[in-house]
């Protein structure tokens, strides 16, 4: 699986779409105004505590067959630092 590095702003609510296994989805928008459908399972609760709509993030993700990006690693930045 080819891992891509994406960075941008969370531009949707972070929604739980499954509890078992735990899975969240949200939209990431990059500087070129590209929108990516993101899924996070690994470290999802940790991510959910740190990130919110408007947070700046950097992720390493693998694209699945539904054109969604499954996050493997992430960094959440303080949004007010980047403004």
């Amino acid at each position: 699986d080819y891992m891509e590095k994406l960075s941008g702003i969370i531009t949707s609510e972070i929604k739980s779409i499954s509890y078992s296994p735990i899975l969240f989805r949200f939209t990431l928008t990059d500087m070129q105004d590209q929108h990516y459908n993101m899924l996070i399972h690994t470290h999802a609760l940790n991510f959910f505590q740190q990130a919110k709509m408007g947070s700046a993030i950097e992720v390493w993700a693998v694209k699945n067959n539904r054109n969604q990006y499954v996050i493997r690693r992430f960094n959440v930045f303080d949004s007010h630092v980047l403004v």
Side-chain angles (χ1 to χ4, degrees):
D1 287 352
Y2 172 67
M3 204 171 327
E4 294 183 56
K5 183 177 170 188
L6 303 169
S7 56
I9 304 291
I10 297 174
T11 52
S12 72
E13 295 296 326
I14 301 169
K15 291 195 177 92
S16 172
I17 54 174
S18 168
Y19 288 107
S20 181
I22 192 150
L23 196 60
F24 292 107
R25 81 149 302 280
F26 63 91
T27 303
L28 173 70
T29 304
D30 70 11
M31 296 300 216
Q32 286 73 47
D33 216 32
Q34 282 281 115
H35 302 287
Y36 300 92
N37 283 322
M38 309 302 298
L39 294 176
I40 185 160
H41 165 67
T42 310
H43 309 303
L45 287 177
N46 191 359
F47 178 82
F48 191 70
Q49 287 176 328
Q50 295 179 45
K52 59 186 181 300
M53 191 165 162
S55 294
I57 62 170
E58 181 177 71
V59 300
W60 289 263
V62 176
K63 196 191 284 193
N64 69 13
N65 56 7
R66 292 188 185 162
N67 240 7
Q68 297 164 312
Y69 287 84
V70 181
I71 298 170
R72 299 280 188 244
R73 293 199 331 240
F74 65 86
N75 280 324
V76 177
F77 303 103
D78 251 355
S79 44
H80 61 261
V81 172
L82 294 182
V83 173

